[in-house]
Amino acid sequence: DSPAVTIQSRGRRVKARIPVAGRVEAVNETVLKDPEILLTDQYKDGWILRLKPKNFLQSSRSLILGSKAKGWLADEMRRMRDLLTEQVSTEDFTLQTMCDGGIPVMGISSIVDDRHWEMIKKEFFGDES
């Protein structure tokens, strides 16, 4: 139940867990040295770790797949938008765009204040550190 990865952006960190229990068999050192690969090559070289599941069949029952995953992601985006709506000012065009239904922006950790960052960590990553 320990975090699989720690994501760091602009001095802020969040610990992310994965929904499958198991043993880490490999870590992509290339991604550690050049995290931009995660944005440009997610389906080939942009992997983070290889995991040998403890009991994949049991773990897979809690995974969200197919069209349900699409719906879940849309719901999470609405939750994020609603959380960020509290902070929007007339001078912050980036968040206004997102709150109006746009896509999330890169560097969200540098846009929100400390209180909202802690809320995002807790609500979306389960990170209460």
Side-chain angles (χ1 to χ4, degrees), residues 80-99:
M80 175 74 77
R81 185 184 63 230
D82 291 347
L83 185 140
L84 295 174
T85 300
E86 297 175 17
Q87 187 173 320
V88 175
S89 71
T90 57
E91 297 173 9
D92 195 342
F93 181 75
T94 306
L95 283 179
Q96 286 178 357
T97 302
M98 184 176 174
C99 292

Side-chain angles (χ1 to χ4, degrees), residues 6-76:
T6 299
I7 303 164
Q8 181 173 314
S9 175
R10 294 177 170 84
R12 289 187 164 165
R13 294 178 181 202
V14 63
K15 295 175 184 171
R17 300 180 189 287
I18 53 177
V20 177
R23 183 179 70 236
V24 174
E25 298 226 316
V27 174
N28 187 348
E29 298 293 331
T30 304
V31 166
L32 294 178
K33 293 174 187 166
D34 183 13
E36 294 292 318
I37 294 170
L38 294 170
L39 302 173
T40 59
D41 194 10
Q42 302 91 337
Y43 298 104
K44 186 177 176 208
D45 295 326
W47 59 276
I48 297 171
L49 58 84
R50 186 170 54 233
L51 181 81
K52 181 172 184 174
K54 189 173 191 178
N55 184 339
F56 183 74
L57 185 58
Q58 181 180 356
S59 296
S60 67
R61 291 185 183 129
S62 67
L63 298 177
I64 303 169
L65 306 170
S67 61
K68 288 182 181 180
K70 186 177 179 181
W72 173 83
L73 185 57
D75 289 344
E76 290 297 282

